[in-house]
Amino acid sequence: MTSHKTTQTMKPATAAKKLGVYLEATPPEFQEGVVSRDELNALQTDPPEWLRELRRTGPHPRQVVAAKLGVSIGGLARGGVTDALTTEQIDALKTESPAWLEQERATQAEVRKEAERVKENGVKENGKEQGN
């Protein structure tokens, strides 16, 4: 008996997220089809010009915008940024450095600092450190 391997596919939105690009900025043929695992791997290893250009100039999805600005996605929302931004718009925000961005960067730095502290000291349970 032979087994037939089913090609694993994903929706364009899932593929765009995995590629780190804004779906609405991708070509229509990408948005309207399905993407196989093999096609996704090919896009990642040898990106076509449209994908290289999107990654370079945007518009970028919120998770990429947040990472480039050094804030959380929630921080973007608190700052009033709800849409995809281009690299140029992100650079302008960095240059302007509005108060909300500075505050969110400070908050993100504190979150990272606390996560590192917890990692170094071990997770406390009922007031006692685990492992003691």
Side-chain angles (χ1 to χ4, degrees):
M1 187 153 60
T2 58
S3 63
H4 296 288
K5 188 173 182 182
T6 305
T7 302
Q8 190 178 23
T9 60
M10 61 193 82
K11 294 178 183 177
T14 303
K17 188 170 186 173
K18 289 180 180 287
L19 293 169
V21 295
Y22 186 57
L23 177 62
E24 286 77 7
T26 61
E29 59 271 11
F30 181 87
Q31 293 179 37
E32 295 164 3
V34 294
V35 181
S36 73
R37 175 66 62 189
D38 290 339
E39 289 170 330
L40 178 68
N41 290 340
L43 287 169
Q44 290 173 324
T45 56
D46 187 23
E49 182 55 34
W50 66 263
L51 182 53
R52 288 194 299 271
E53 183 64 22
L54 265 180
R55 288 177 169 168
R56 190 171 34 254
T57 62
H60 304 286
R62 287 182 305 152
Q63 69 268 20
V64 173
V65 173
K68 287 180 179 273
L69 290 174
V71 300
S72 67
I73 293 174
L76 284 179
R78 287 188 291 275
V81 178
T82 57
D83 295 327
L85 298 179
T86 64
T87 300
E88 187 177 312
Q89 291 169 313
I90 293 168
D91 291 343
L93 269 175
K94 287 179 179 177
T95 301
E96 293 167 15
S97 197
W100 72 264
L101 181 57
E102 292 302 316
Q103 176 61 44
E104 292 301 331
R105 283 179 168 169
T107 299
Q108 193 70 3
E110 285 298 316
V111 167
R112 286 189 191 111
K113 186 177 170 183
E114 178 62 12
E116 185 62 30
R117 185 193 68 76
V118 168
K119 182 179 174 184
E120 286 177 4
N121 294 330
V123 179
K124 292 186 178 184
E125 187 174 294
N126 296 329
K128 296 180 183 176
E129 289 188 11
Q130 290 182 338
N132 286 345

Tab-separated table of all heavy atoms in Angstrom, residues 45-89:
chain	number	residue	atom	x	y	z
A	45	THR	N	14.031	31.301	1.140
A	45	THR	CA	15.426	31.076	0.757
A	45	THR	C	15.851	31.911	-0.441
A	45	THR	O	17.005	32.331	-0.519
A	45	THR	CB	15.692	29.583	0.456
A	45	THR	OG1	14.793	29.142	-0.541
A	45	THR	CG2	15.547	28.744	1.700
A	46	ASP	N	14.948	32.163	-1.371
A	46	ASP	CA	15.266	32.953	-2.557
A	46	ASP	C	14.114	33.912	-2.837
A	46	ASP	O	13.308	33.695	-3.754
A	46	ASP	CB	15.501	32.020	-3.759
A	46	ASP	CG	16.013	32.784	-4.970
A	46	ASP	OD1	16.583	33.883	-4.809
A	46	ASP	OD2	15.816	32.277	-6.096
A	47	PRO	N	14.014	34.991	-2.033
A	47	PRO	CA	12.862	35.890	-2.174
A	47	PRO	C	12.855	36.611	-3.523
A	47	PRO	O	13.898	37.070	-3.984
A	47	PRO	CB	13.026	36.882	-1.022
A	47	PRO	CG	14.415	36.740	-0.543
A	47	PRO	CD	14.938	35.428	-0.997
A	48	PRO	N	11.675	36.700	-4.143
A	48	PRO	CA	11.561	37.466	-5.387
A	48	PRO	C	11.726	38.960	-5.084
A	48	PRO	O	11.687	39.392	-3.927
A	48	PRO	CB	10.147	37.145	-5.876
A	48	PRO	CG	9.406	36.700	-4.666
A	48	PRO	CD	10.412	36.097	-3.736
A	49	GLU	N	11.877	39.740	-6.119
A	49	GLU	CA	12.123	41.181	-5.950
A	49	GLU	C	11.008	41.865	-5.153
A	49	GLU	O	11.278	42.708	-4.304
A	49	GLU	CB	12.291	41.860	-7.318
A	49	GLU	CG	12.589	43.353	-7.227
A	49	GLU	CD	13.803	43.703	-6.369
A	49	GLU	OE1	14.782	42.942	-6.345
A	49	GLU	OE2	13.770	44.756	-5.703
A	50	TRP	N	9.731	41.510	-5.396
A	50	TRP	CA	8.634	42.159	-4.669
A	50	TRP	C	8.762	41.925	-3.163
A	50	TRP	O	8.464	42.812	-2.362
A	50	TRP	CB	7.262	41.733	-5.183
A	50	TRP	CG	6.878	40.295	-4.968
A	50	TRP	CD1	7.001	39.274	-5.863
A	50	TRP	CD2	6.318	39.711	-3.779
A	50	TRP	NE1	6.554	38.096	-5.313
A	50	TRP	CE2	6.129	38.330	-4.034
A	50	TRP	CE3	5.955	40.211	-2.528
A	50	TRP	CZ2	5.598	37.453	-3.086
A	50	TRP	CZ3	5.422	39.327	-1.587
A	50	TRP	CH2	5.255	37.973	-1.865
A	51	LEU	N	9.213	40.741	-2.766
A	51	LEU	CA	9.357	40.436	-1.346
A	51	LEU	C	10.559	41.176	-0.755
A	51	LEU	O	10.475	41.729	0.351
A	51	LEU	CB	9.498	38.920	-1.153
A	51	LEU	CG	9.617	38.416	0.280
A	51	LEU	CD1	8.480	38.923	1.154
A	51	LEU	CD2	9.666	36.894	0.284
A	52	ARG	N	11.652	41.227	-1.483
A	52	ARG	CA	12.829	41.972	-0.997
A	52	ARG	C	12.484	43.450	-0.825
A	52	ARG	O	12.861	44.076	0.162
A	52	ARG	CB	14.007	41.792	-1.958
A	52	ARG	CG	14.622	40.405	-1.908
A	52	ARG	CD	15.979	40.348	-2.597
A	52	ARG	NE	15.942	40.680	-4.002
A	52	ARG	CZ	15.739	39.807	-4.985
A	52	ARG	NH1	15.553	38.534	-4.719
A	52	ARG	NH2	15.733	40.215	-6.241
A	53	GLU	N	11.745	43.995	-1.791
A	53	GLU	CA	11.360	45.412	-1.730
A	53	GLU	C	10.423	45.676	-0.549
A	53	GLU	O	10.574	46.672	0.164
A	53	GLU	CB	10.704	45.834	-3.054
A	53	GLU	CG	10.338	47.298	-3.122
A	53	GLU	CD	11.533	48.242	-3.061
A	53	GLU	OE1	12.675	47.825	-3.374
A	53	GLU	OE2	11.329	49.408	-2.684
A	54	LEU	N	9.448	44.796	-0.322
A	54	LEU	CA	8.532	44.953	0.815
A	54	LEU	C	9.295	44.929	2.138
A	54	LEU	O	9.013	45.709	3.047
A	54	LEU	CB	7.490	43.841	0.831
A	54	LEU	CG	6.157	44.120	0.169
A	54	LEU	CD1	5.248	42.915	0.286
A	54	LEU	CD2	5.496	45.343	0.736
A	55	ARG	N	10.226	43.999	2.256
A	55	ARG	CA	11.014	43.906	3.488
A	55	ARG	C	11.890	45.140	3.684
A	55	ARG	O	12.146	45.549	4.801
A	55	ARG	CB	11.866	42.641	3.478
A	55	ARG	CG	11.048	41.386	3.677
A	55	ARG	CD	11.912	40.165	3.588
A	55	ARG	NE	11.203	38.968	4.028
A	55	ARG	CZ	11.652	37.745	3.838
A	55	ARG	NH1	12.805	37.536	3.219
A	55	ARG	NH2	10.952	36.709	4.270
A	56	ARG	N	12.352	45.718	2.581
A	56	ARG	CA	13.248	46.867	2.654
A	56	ARG	C	12.494	48.165	2.956
A	56	ARG	O	12.900	48.938	3.809
A	56	ARG	CB	14.011	46.971	1.331
A	56	ARG	CG	15.135	47.936	1.300
A	56	ARG	CD	16.015	47.866	0.037
A	56	ARG	NE	15.338	47.524	-1.210
A	56	ARG	CZ	15.446	46.333	-1.820
A	56	ARG	NH1	16.194	45.377	-1.312
A	56	ARG	NH2	14.799	46.103	-2.955
A	57	THR	N	11.369	48.395	2.245
A	57	THR	CA	10.708	49.696	2.348
A	57	THR	C	9.329	49.668	2.990
A	57	THR	O	8.809	50.708	3.356
A	57	THR	CB	10.564	50.342	0.949
A	57	THR	OG1	9.740	49.509	0.136
A	57	THR	CG2	11.918	50.549	0.300
A	58	GLY	N	8.718	48.474	3.099
A	58	GLY	CA	7.389	48.376	3.677
A	58	GLY	C	6.319	48.621	2.646
A	58	GLY	O	6.606	48.631	1.454
A	59	PRO	N	5.094	48.804	3.073
A	59	PRO	CA	4.668	48.947	4.470
A	59	PRO	C	4.865	47.653	5.255
A	59	PRO	O	4.781	46.569	4.717
A	59	PRO	CB	3.194	49.319	4.362
A	59	PRO	CG	2.756	48.800	3.032
A	59	PRO	CD	3.964	48.825	2.140
A	60	HIS	N	5.173	47.848	6.535
A	60	HIS	CA	5.455	46.731	7.424
A	60	HIS	C	4.269	46.456	8.343
A	60	HIS	O	3.586	47.385	8.771
A	60	HIS	CB	6.678	47.055	8.301
A	60	HIS	CG	7.895	47.401	7.508
A	60	HIS	ND1	8.629	46.464	6.827
A	60	HIS	CD2	8.501	48.584	7.280
A	60	HIS	CE1	9.655	47.053	6.218
A	60	HIS	NE2	9.590	48.343	6.470
A	61	PRO	N	4.032	45.173	8.681
A	61	PRO	CA	2.955	44.850	9.633
A	61	PRO	C	3.327	45.345	11.032
A	61	PRO	O	4.495	45.637	11.327
A	61	PRO	CB	2.873	43.322	9.571
A	61	PRO	CG	4.202	42.884	9.072
A	61	PRO	CD	4.727	43.992	8.201
A	62	ARG	N	2.324	45.424	11.883
A	62	ARG	CA	2.529	45.986	13.224
A	62	ARG	C	3.639	45.313	14.017
A	62	ARG	O	4.380	45.978	14.717
A	62	ARG	CB	1.224	45.981	14.028
A	62	ARG	CG	0.249	47.030	13.529
A	62	ARG	CD	-1.022	47.066	14.331
A	62	ARG	NE	-1.624	45.729	14.345
A	62	ARG	CZ	-2.385	45.262	15.312
A	62	ARG	NH1	-2.665	46.001	16.340
A	62	ARG	NH2	-2.893	44.046	15.242
A	63	GLN	N	3.750	43.966	13.933
A	63	GLN	CA	4.782	43.306	14.718
A	63	GLN	C	6.187	43.731	14.272
A	63	GLN	O	7.086	43.865	15.097
A	63	GLN	CB	4.637	41.780	14.720
A	63	GLN	CG	4.912	41.087	13.408
A	63	GLN	CD	3.676	40.904	12.549
A	63	GLN	OE1	2.674	41.590	12.726
A	63	GLN	NE2	3.744	39.982	11.607
A	64	VAL	N	6.361	43.992	12.982
A	64	VAL	CA	7.652	44.460	12.473
A	64	VAL	C	7.875	45.913	12.878
A	64	VAL	O	8.973	46.289	13.299
A	64	VAL	CB	7.732	44.278	10.941
A	64	VAL	CG1	8.996	44.903	10.372
A	64	VAL	CG2	7.655	42.798	10.580
A	65	VAL	N	6.828	46.743	12.780
A	65	VAL	CA	6.926	48.147	13.197
A	65	VAL	C	7.315	48.219	14.673
A	65	VAL	O	8.225	48.967	15.056
A	65	VAL	CB	5.602	48.906	12.949
A	65	VAL	CG1	5.656	50.310	13.528
A	65	VAL	CG2	5.274	48.939	11.464
A	66	ALA	N	6.646	47.422	15.502
A	66	ALA	CA	6.940	47.424	16.938
A	66	ALA	C	8.397	47.037	17.191
A	66	ALA	O	9.093	47.683	17.984
A	66	ALA	CB	6.000	46.465	17.665
A	67	ALA	N	8.868	45.997	16.509
A	67	ALA	CA	10.251	45.545	16.702
A	67	ALA	C	11.239	46.621	16.261
A	67	ALA	O	12.234	46.885	16.957
A	67	ALA	CB	10.492	44.252	15.932
A	68	LYS	N	10.976	47.265	15.144
A	68	LYS	CA	11.883	48.304	14.642
A	68	LYS	C	11.919	49.517	15.572
A	68	LYS	O	12.937	50.191	15.664
A	68	LYS	CB	11.486	48.733	13.232
A	68	LYS	CG	11.825	47.699	12.163
A	68	LYS	CD	11.393	48.185	10.789
A	68	LYS	CE	11.737	47.192	9.704
A	68	LYS	NZ	13.074	47.350	9.164
A	69	LEU	N	10.802	49.788	16.247
A	69	LEU	CA	10.751	50.927	17.167
A	69	LEU	C	11.160	50.546	18.590
A	69	LEU	O	11.330	51.417	19.438
A	69	LEU	CB	9.346	51.536	17.177
A	69	LEU	CG	8.928	52.262	15.901
A	69	LEU	CD1	7.464	52.682	15.992
A	69	LEU	CD2	9.822	53.470	15.639
A	70	GLY	N	11.268	49.259	18.865
A	70	GLY	CA	11.659	48.817	20.206
A	70	GLY	C	10.545	48.918	21.227
A	70	GLY	O	10.795	49.197	22.399
A	71	VAL	N	9.303	48.710	20.775
A	71	VAL	CA	8.141	48.768	21.665
A	71	VAL	C	7.273	47.538	21.424
A	71	VAL	O	7.512	46.772	20.503
A	71	VAL	CB	7.306	50.052	21.442
A	71	VAL	CG1	8.141	51.303	21.702
A	71	VAL	CG2	6.712	50.104	20.044
A	72	SER	N	6.249	47.378	22.251
A	72	SER	CA	5.307	46.274	22.068
A	72	SER	C	4.213	46.690	21.087
A	72	SER	O	4.037	47.886	20.808
A	72	SER	CB	4.673	45.894	23.410
A	72	SER	OG	3.852	46.968	23.867
A	73	ILE	N	3.460	45.712	20.606
A	73	ILE	CA	2.325	46.018	19.729
A	73	ILE	C	1.291	46.836	20.501
A	73	ILE	O	0.704	47.770	19.969
A	73	ILE	CB	1.719	44.731	19.143
A	73	ILE	CG1	2.720	44.086	18.181
A	73	ILE	CG2	0.401	45.007	18.438
A	73	ILE	CD1	2.313	42.738	17.646
A	74	GLY	N	1.101	46.516	21.775
A	74	GLY	CA	0.200	47.303	22.619
A	74	GLY	C	0.683	48.741	22.756
A	74	GLY	O	-0.115	49.675	22.786
A	75	GLY	N	1.996	48.903	22.838
A	75	GLY	CA	2.577	50.244	22.919
A	75	GLY	C	2.298	51.054	21.664
A	75	GLY	O	2.053	52.262	21.738
A	76	LEU	N	2.327	50.383	20.516
A	76	LEU	CA	1.979	51.079	19.272
A	76	LEU	C	0.549	51.585	19.337
A	76	LEU	O	0.270	52.729	18.980
A	76	LEU	CB	2.092	50.132	18.069
A	76	LEU	CG	3.461	49.779	17.546
A	76	LEU	CD1	3.336	48.813	16.378
A	76	LEU	CD2	4.235	51.009	17.133
A	77	ALA	N	-0.366	50.717	19.796
A	77	ALA	CA	-1.773	51.098	19.887
A	77	ALA	C	-1.956	52.266	20.848
A	77	ALA	O	-2.689	53.213	20.550
A	77	ALA	CB	-2.618	49.906	20.325
A	78	ARG	N	-1.272	52.200	21.995
A	78	ARG	CA	-1.370	53.320	22.952
A	78	ARG	C	-0.839	54.611	22.348
A	78	ARG	O	-1.306	55.699	22.676
A	78	ARG	CB	-0.631	52.983	24.243
A	78	ARG	CG	-1.358	51.967	25.111
A	78	ARG	CD	-0.688	51.804	26.468
A	78	ARG	NE	0.600	51.153	26.390
A	78	ARG	CZ	0.809	49.830	26.368
A	78	ARG	NH1	-0.227	49.006	26.410
A	78	ARG	NH2	2.031	49.329	26.304
A	79	GLY	N	0.137	54.491	21.449
A	79	GLY	CA	0.696	55.662	20.783
A	79	GLY	C	-0.121	56.126	19.590
A	79	GLY	O	0.232	57.097	18.926
A	80	GLY	N	-1.203	55.406	19.291
A	80	GLY	CA	-2.078	55.798	18.189
A	80	GLY	C	-1.664	55.236	16.841
A	80	GLY	O	-2.213	55.614	15.816
A	81	VAL	N	-0.683	54.320	16.824
A	81	VAL	CA	-0.248	53.712	15.568
A	81	VAL	C	-1.006	52.406	15.385
A	81	VAL	O	-0.754	51.435	16.080
A	81	VAL	CB	1.279	53.450	15.572
A	81	VAL	CG1	1.710	52.781	14.279
A	81	VAL	CG2	2.047	54.743	15.793
A	82	THR	N	-1.952	52.415	14.460
A	82	THR	CA	-2.772	51.226	14.242
A	82	THR	C	-2.621	50.673	12.828
A	82	THR	O	-3.088	49.582	12.557
A	82	THR	CB	-4.261	51.539	14.497
A	82	THR	OG1	-4.649	52.622	13.645
A	82	THR	CG2	-4.499	51.907	15.953
A	83	ASP	N	-1.974	51.424	11.951
A	83	ASP	CA	-1.807	50.997	10.573
A	83	ASP	C	-0.375	50.545	10.316
A	83	ASP	O	0.531	50.838	11.095
A	83	ASP	CB	-2.136	52.156	9.615
A	83	ASP	CG	-3.589	52.573	9.692
A	83	ASP	OD1	-4.444	51.698	9.933
A	83	ASP	OD2	-3.863	53.779	9.513
A	84	ALA	N	-0.206	49.870	9.195
A	84	ALA	CA	1.136	49.499	8.752
A	84	ALA	C	1.906	50.784	8.427
A	84	ALA	O	1.316	51.782	8.006
A	84	ALA	CB	1.044	48.620	7.514
A	85	LEU	N	3.210	50.752	8.655
A	85	LEU	CA	4.055	51.909	8.359
A	85	LEU	C	5.170	51.505	7.410
A	85	LEU	O	5.649	50.373	7.430
A	85	LEU	CB	4.678	52.470	9.640
A	85	LEU	CG	3.746	52.999	10.723
A	85	LEU	CD1	4.556	53.495	11.916
A	85	LEU	CD2	2.866	54.110	10.188
A	86	THR	N	5.614	52.476	6.614
A	86	THR	CA	6.758	52.246	5.743
A	86	THR	C	8.039	52.443	6.544
A	86	THR	O	8.023	53.010	7.646
A	86	THR	CB	6.752	53.230	4.558
A	86	THR	OG1	6.899	54.547	5.081
A	86	THR	CG2	5.488	53.119	3.735
A	87	THR	N	9.146	52.012	5.984
A	87	THR	CA	10.443	52.218	6.628
A	87	THR	C	10.692	53.706	6.821
A	87	THR	O	11.190	54.127	7.868
A	87	THR	CB	11.562	51.587	5.780
A	87	THR	OG1	11.301	50.185	5.667
A	87	THR	CG2	12.923	51.799	6.399
A	88	GLU	N	10.318	54.510	5.839
A	88	GLU	CA	10.484	55.965	5.918
A	88	GLU	C	9.685	56.548	7.093
A	88	GLU	O	10.183	57.395	7.838
A	88	GLU	CB	10.029	56.592	4.594
A	88	GLU	CG	10.307	58.069	4.487
A	88	GLU	CD	9.901	58.614	3.120
A	88	GLU	OE1	10.272	57.992	2.102
A	88	GLU	OE2	9.215	59.653	3.095
A	89	GLN	N	8.449	56.078	7.275
A	89	GLN	CA	7.623	56.559	8.390
A	89	GLN	C	8.213	56.115	9.741
A	89	GLN	O	8.186	56.882	10.700
A	89	GLN	CB	6.197	56.040	8.255
A	89	GLN	CG	5.442	56.650	7.088
A	89	GLN	CD	4.126	55.935	6.823
A	89	GLN	OE1	4.085	54.703	6.774
A	89	GLN	NE2	3.055	56.707	6.642
